[in-house]
């Protein structure tokens, strides 16, 4: 199986592994401390109890508590599993080791996270993004959809920022498939487990914590409160647990954004006219100056700004467990979470996008990547905008489990429940001020991350601006899950268990979007908002042009940019609309709502099936082993609905999957485990791609159609791992993995055509888009017609190296230290259809096939934690590196886009003053890392570059 790793890369990985293994061997003999075992909730199959009795018999002069205790419990779970499993375990009841679930998961080898607004939001497992990971809460698959970030999550990915981490006792990550494990994952199945009252102590347990959070960029404090009450009867037959968590925190992100780069023909370049008629109309005049400018890439909307995130979380859990006999246990679990956010953005920008035809370029400078890296612009379209979105996500889940031992050899589990995630955006408002003939604007992207953007005319004087556009785009996304499962186990013989199960699951997804957008003026005539002013035709330029309501001090407010990484000379103050005054003046919220065609769709998937699996353990020629092998069957009945030209269209289809899986664990010694696995796996297509409808983007001149006949992502996965438990609480492991993806939906460009040739009505265009306001833009053959098709597949292979090393072999205080470290190396290849740059001025984009990694794959990722933990005091500092990655096809001639590398550093300190009182201090993003997004893989053009500040949390925890 090692053949699937490239030879050169394998030599590097295995050389590093062998060097580290030698170092560990030198110290492992000196270690004789024992790890305290702790049971955790999960679905891992238990292997032979190698080494446990011997470890338990060792003497210990260290009391294992806190963070080190949680590491030992996680290792215990991993060691006893037949399949590849990793876990994060709560240090104590209501005491998860991190403030964010995603940020905890990134400590696991092979897992990287995607942050948004300074918080971990989604995970990538072994290079496969969030849509390839299935998440279960208390054994029930679900989707938690939040409205955090730049847009709502309208796909299968799970947003971990919805939940407060205090609500959970463990996270268990299944990296390899089993027949008895829910299907739908190419990456992993993640189990989030809440309380287990019968697993606690008898009587009443009360835990409470209070924390104050401070962000140094927002300069704002927020509370974080959590509490749990758990009670277990004296006979151990009945238990109940209730928990609650509440927090608020305001943060900011400051930085710059180009909104991609594009090619376009300008009106004039260094005094050379590029058209026979200035500003609009006429025909293009080819010349060296005009052609160079037209074929180069320039920033579409260069800007600096501020984004404010005000977040509020409320979480509640409840669990009731009843065990009337030793053979029967009934559990009922409930979880409720509410996540609210107010997102406010303030930008000062120049709108080159679609307005290049009227702009005169002076002193352009070009770099080797085909960019107009700097220039001065006259007749520039200066814009300032003020954006506000209010959103709320409510999640609830109710589930029940009946565990029954029918005989001493046969048992079953009946599991059922439902969940709902409702992401609502009642307000998503933008108001803009324009100055469409500004002179002397200059930009300089010589330093791509820190561009110098300077306005040549006053941007603080209301007399220079007109209120030109208003938008509001309310929406709702709702996910529902209903699940019923029956799992049976029969101990057929010594060391052989037969598992048979059946399942039914129904998933409903629906998203509804509306818009009440409009530009104040169309092409002349009365304004489209109040009908009180006479607008100029779009061909009129200059100070006499009327394209909106005159800005006034009453409609305005002054914005001052903070520390956004801007160089000296950048304009840092500008006027923006006052949202309350501007929306009241324009009566925005009284306007009728129109359907946002592309965001009105639904999918229902009903899955039925079952599995059989054989679990065996024993020894073969003196070698102990454990294995599971079986087959899973799933039939998917799918119904997709979307709008095509405003008309609802529904498509039904069904498909079946037979998914064999096998896991083998060998135990050559009581400290060594060798694992191997092979399985067929699948992930259902992304929800947005399944719509039978189409949508039109009048800003990027692109029409996209869905494809409800897409096949699932299907792959064969191979895994091989060696784990060395060289001392208590210690682990060194190397894992190799490969996924051959046979079916991989990819975007495809059908053609370049006029908008009229698509057959779509103009009503599908956002009314404020350039194409809706200027019908001439609908007639030019520059529109890209795209859809999603079944691709030719892809490959992914890689290695994980992990080390868990407590320094118990050292003398004195040093024995309380330890390190956690892991590294992931991935090689991936997929072929995508992309639209590359135009090769003639004003020409269409060129369609080409291009190889790249799978989206979301970072070739390198590293995580490290140095910790100290004794009876009273514990501290740790963690660093996480994620390499650059592409996450999607780009637009406007850029080939792919994604994120550059990041390093995040966090720290935590705990002091246990008494047996019942503990003080805490946490620091998150201590280096104030900037997040850089790029467009175009080769040129690495700046898309955005911003930072979120450091967050500090001070608190106390009480347990009785």
């Amino acid at each position: 199986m090692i053949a699937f790793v490239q030879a050169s890369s394998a030599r590097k990985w295995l050389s590093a592994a062998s060097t580290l293994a030698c170092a560990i061997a030198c110290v492992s003999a000196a270690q004789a401390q024992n790890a305290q075992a702790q049971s955790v909730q999960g679905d891992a199959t238990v292997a032979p109890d190698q080494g446990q009795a011997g470890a338990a018999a060792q003497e210990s002069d260290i009391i294992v508590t806190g963070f080190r205790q949680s590491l030992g419990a996680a290792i215990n779970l991993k060691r006893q599993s037949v399949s590849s499993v990793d876990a994060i375990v709560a240090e104590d009841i209501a005491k998860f080791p991190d403030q964010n679930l995603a940020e905890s998961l990134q400590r696991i080898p092979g897992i990287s996270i995607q942050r948004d607004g300074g918080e971990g939001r989604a995970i990538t497992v072994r290079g496969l993004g969030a849509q390839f990971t299935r998440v279960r809460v208390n054994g029930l698959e679900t989707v938690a959809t939040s409205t955090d970030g730049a847009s709502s999550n309208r796909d299968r990915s799970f947003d971990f920022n919805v939940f407060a981490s205090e609500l959970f006792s463990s996270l268990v990550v299944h990296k390899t498939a089993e027949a008895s494990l829910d299907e739908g994952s190419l990456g992993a199945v993640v189990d989030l487990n809440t309380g287990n009252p019968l697993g606690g102590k008898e009587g009443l347990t009360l835990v409470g914590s209070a924390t104050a959070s401070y962000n140094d960029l927002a300069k704002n404090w927020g509370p974080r409160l959590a509490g749990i009450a758990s009670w277990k009867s004296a006979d151990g037959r009945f238990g109940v647990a209730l928990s609650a968590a509440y927090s608020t925190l305001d943060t900011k992100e400051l930085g710059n954004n180009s909104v991609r780069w594009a090619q376009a023909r300008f009106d004039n370049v260094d005094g050379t006219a590029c058209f026979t008629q200035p500003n609009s109309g006429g025909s293009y005049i080819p010349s060296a100056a005009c052609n160079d400018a037209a074929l180069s890439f320039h920033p579409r909307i260069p800007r600096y700004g501020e984004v404010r995130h005000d977040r509020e979380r409320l979480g509640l859990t409840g669990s009731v467990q009843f065990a009337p006999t030793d053979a029967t246990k009934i559990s009922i679990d409930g979880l409720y979470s509410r996540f609210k956010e107010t997102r406010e953005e303030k930008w000062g920008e120049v709108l080159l996008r679609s307005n290049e035809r009227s702009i005169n370029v002076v002193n352009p400078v070009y770099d080797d990547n085909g960019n107009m890296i700097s220039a001065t612009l006259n007749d520039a379209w200066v814009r300032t905008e003020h954006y506000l979105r209010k959103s709320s996500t409510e999640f609830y889940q109710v589930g029940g489990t009946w565990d029954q031992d029918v005989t001493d050899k046969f048992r079953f589990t009946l599991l059922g429940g439902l969940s709902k995630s409702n992401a609502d955006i009642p307000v998503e408002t933008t108001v803009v001020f324009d100055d469409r003939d500004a002179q002397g604007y200059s930009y300089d992207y010589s330093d791509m991350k820190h561009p110098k953007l300077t306005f040549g005319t006053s941007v603080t004087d209301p007399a220079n601006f007109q209120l030109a556009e208003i938008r509001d785009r309310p929406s709702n996304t709702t996910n529902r899950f209903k699940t019923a499962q029956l799992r049976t186990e029969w101990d057929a013989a010594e060391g052989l268990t037969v598992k048979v199960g059946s399942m039914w699951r129904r998933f409903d997804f629906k998203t509804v979007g509306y818009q009440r957008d409009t530009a104040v003026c169309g092409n002349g005539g009365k304004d489209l908002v109040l009908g009180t002013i006479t607008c100029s035709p779009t061909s009129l330029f200059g100070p006499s042009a009327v394209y909106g309501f005159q800005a006034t001090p009453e409609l305005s407010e002054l914005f001052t940019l903070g520390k956004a990484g801007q160089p000296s000379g950048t304009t840092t103050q500008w006027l923006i609309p006052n949202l309350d005054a501007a929306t009241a003046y324009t009566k925005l919220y009284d306007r009728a709502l129109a359907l946002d065609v592309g965001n009105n769709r639904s999918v229902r998937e009903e899955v039925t099936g079952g599995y059989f699996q054989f679990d065996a353990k024993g020894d073969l020629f003196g070698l102990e082993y454990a294995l599971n092998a079986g087959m899973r069957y799933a039939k998917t009945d799918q119904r997709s609905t979307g709008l095509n030209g405003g008309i609802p269209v529904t498509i039904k289809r069904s498909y079946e999957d037979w998914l064999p899986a096998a896991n083998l664990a060998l135990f050559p010694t009581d400290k060594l485990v060798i694992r191997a696995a092979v399985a067929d796996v699948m992930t259902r297509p992304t929800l947005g791609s399944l719509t039978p409808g189409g949508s039109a983007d009048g800003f990027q001149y692109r029409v996209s159609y869905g494809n409800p006949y897409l096949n699932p992502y299907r792959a064969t996965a191979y895994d091989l791992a060696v784990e060395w438990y060289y001392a208590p609480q210690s682990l060194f492991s190397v894992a190799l993995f490969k996924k051959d993806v046979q079916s991989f939906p990819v975007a495809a460009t059908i053609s370049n055509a006029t908008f009229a040739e698509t057959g779509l009505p103009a009503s599908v265009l956002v009314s404020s888009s350039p194409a809706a306001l200027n019908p001439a833009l609908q007639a030019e053959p520059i529109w890209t017609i795209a859809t999603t098709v079944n691709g030719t597949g892809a490959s992914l292979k890689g290695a994980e190296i992990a080390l868990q090393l407590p320094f118990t072999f050292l003398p004195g205080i040093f024995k309380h230290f330890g390190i956690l470290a892991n590294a992931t190396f991935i090689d991936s290849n997929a072929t995508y259809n992309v639209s590359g740059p135009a090769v003639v001025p004003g020409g269409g984009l060129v369609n080409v096939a291009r190889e790249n990694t799978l989206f979301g794959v970072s070739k390198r990722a590293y995580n490290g934690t140095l910790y100290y933990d004794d009876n009273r005091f514990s501290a740790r500092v963690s660093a996480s590196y994620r390499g650059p990655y592409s996450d999607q096809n780009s637009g406007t001639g850029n080939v792919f886009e994604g994120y550059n590398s990041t390093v995040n550093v966090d720290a935590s300190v705990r002091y246990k003053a008494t047996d019942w009182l503990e003080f805490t201090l946490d620091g998150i993003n201590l280096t104030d890392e900037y997040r850089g997004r790029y467009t175009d893989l080769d040129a690495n053009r700046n898309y955005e570059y911003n930072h979120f500040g450091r967050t500090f949390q001070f608190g106390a925890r009480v347990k009785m």
Side-chain angles (χ1 to χ4, degrees), residues 358-682:
S358 65
I359 294 176
N360 299 328
V361 179
V362 181
N363 296 327
V365 177
Y366 305 99
D367 68 6
D368 295 336
N369 289 319
N371 301 315
M372 186 190 293
I373 203 72
S374 66
T376 297
L377 309 178
N378 293 321
D379 289 344
W381 188 317
V382 170
R383 168 170 288 185
T384 69
E385 62 178 273
H386 197 169
Y387 169 93
L388 177 69
R389 185 182 67 201
K390 296 181 179 180
S391 61
S392 176
T393 297
E394 285 193 299
F395 175 92
Y396 72 79
Q397 176 178 289
V398 178
T401 304
W402 175 17
D403 294 299
Q404 182 68 50
D405 293 343
V406 180
T407 68
D408 59 351
K409 294 182 179 295
F410 182 76
R411 54 201 167 272
F412 71 80
T413 298
L414 183 62
L415 174 70
L418 55 89
S419 67
K420 179 182 178 182
S421 177
N422 182 71
D424 192 50
I425 302 178
V427 174
E428 188 172 2
T429 297
T430 307
V431 180
V432 302
F433 282 168
D434 282 349
D435 176 7
R436 298 183 180 179
D437 62 342
Q439 306 300 305
Y441 173 81
S442 66
Y443 72 84
D444 185 351
Y445 277 83
S446 300
D447 181 347
M448 268 286 180
K449 296 179 179 179
H450 308 282
K452 180 180 176 181
L453 308 180
T454 306
F455 294 90
T457 54
S458 173
V459 287
T460 61
D461 185 356
N464 288 335
F465 287 107
Q466 298 179 41
L467 195 165
E469 189 176 327
I470 54 177
R471 307 176 202 146
D472 188 43
R473 300 174 180 176
S475 64
N476 176 270
T477 299
T478 300
N479 293 297
R480 290 182 173 89
F481 262 102
K482 294 182 179 179
T483 302
Q485 294 186 22
L486 176 63
R487 306 170 184 165
T488 67
E489 296 183 7
W490 173 44
D491 297 328
E494 180 70 26
L496 177 63
T497 299
V498 179
K499 297 181 178 179
V500 179
S502 61
M503 57 87 179
W504 171 86
R505 187 169 62 244
R506 190 171 78 189
F507 170 54
D508 286 283
F509 160 85
K510 183 178 182 180
T511 186
V512 180
Y514 300 93
Q515 57 102 353
R516 43 168 63 102
D517 297 12
T518 185
V520 173
C521 289
N523 188 13
K526 291 293 185 181
D527 72 85
L528 306 176
V529 178
L530 302 177
T532 59
I533 62 174
T534 300
C535 300
S536 303
T538 55
S539 59
L540 179 64
F541 288 84
S544 62
V546 177
Y547 42 82
F549 303 115
Q550 179 59 52
T552 65
E554 293 75 22
L555 295 175
S556 312
E557 62 184 73
L558 185 65
F559 169 74
T560 301
L561 183 68
K563 296 179 180 179
Q566 69 273 23
S568 176
T570 297
T571 302
T572 57
Q573 276 194 332
W574 54 84
L575 214 62
I576 61 173
N578 180 293
L579 281 182
D580 290 338
T583 55
Y585 177 76
T586 58
K587 300 180 173 60
L588 172 61
Y589 301 125
D590 293 333
R591 296 180 62 83
L593 289 170
L595 283 177
D596 181 0
V597 174
N599 286 318
N600 282 263
R601 59 184 186 271
S602 64
V603 176
R604 167 172 285 187
E605 289 174 344
E606 190 163 330
V607 181
T608 55
Y611 66 88
F612 67 86
Q613 178 175 303
F614 299 96
D615 290 7
K617 59 182 178 180
D619 63 84
L620 186 64
F621 304 111
L623 178 63
E624 290 197 67
Y625 72 89
L627 66 86
N628 62 60
M631 177 73 74
R632 187 175 186 89
Y633 167 76
K635 180 185 178 184
T636 305
D637 294 308
Q638 174 189 294
R639 185 183 73 187
S640 305
T641 299
L643 297 178
N644 195 327
I647 301 173
V649 177
T650 298
I651 301 295
K652 297 180 180 180
R653 67 173 297 205
S654 298
Y655 53 87
E656 298 177 313
D657 284 278
W658 293 89
L659 304 169
N663 291 270
L664 173 66
L666 302 175
F667 306 89
T669 72
D670 61 354
K671 295 182 178 180
L672 193 66
V673 181
I674 301 173
R675 303 187 193 277
V678 60
D680 283 346
V681 292
M682 59 87 77

Side-chain angles (χ1 to χ4, degrees), residues 187-209:
V189 174
V190 178
D191 278 318
L192 310 181
N193 302 308
T194 60
N196 176 22
L198 287 185
K201 67 178 184 179
E202 295 178 4
L204 179 65
T205 300
L206 298 175
V207 178
S209 65

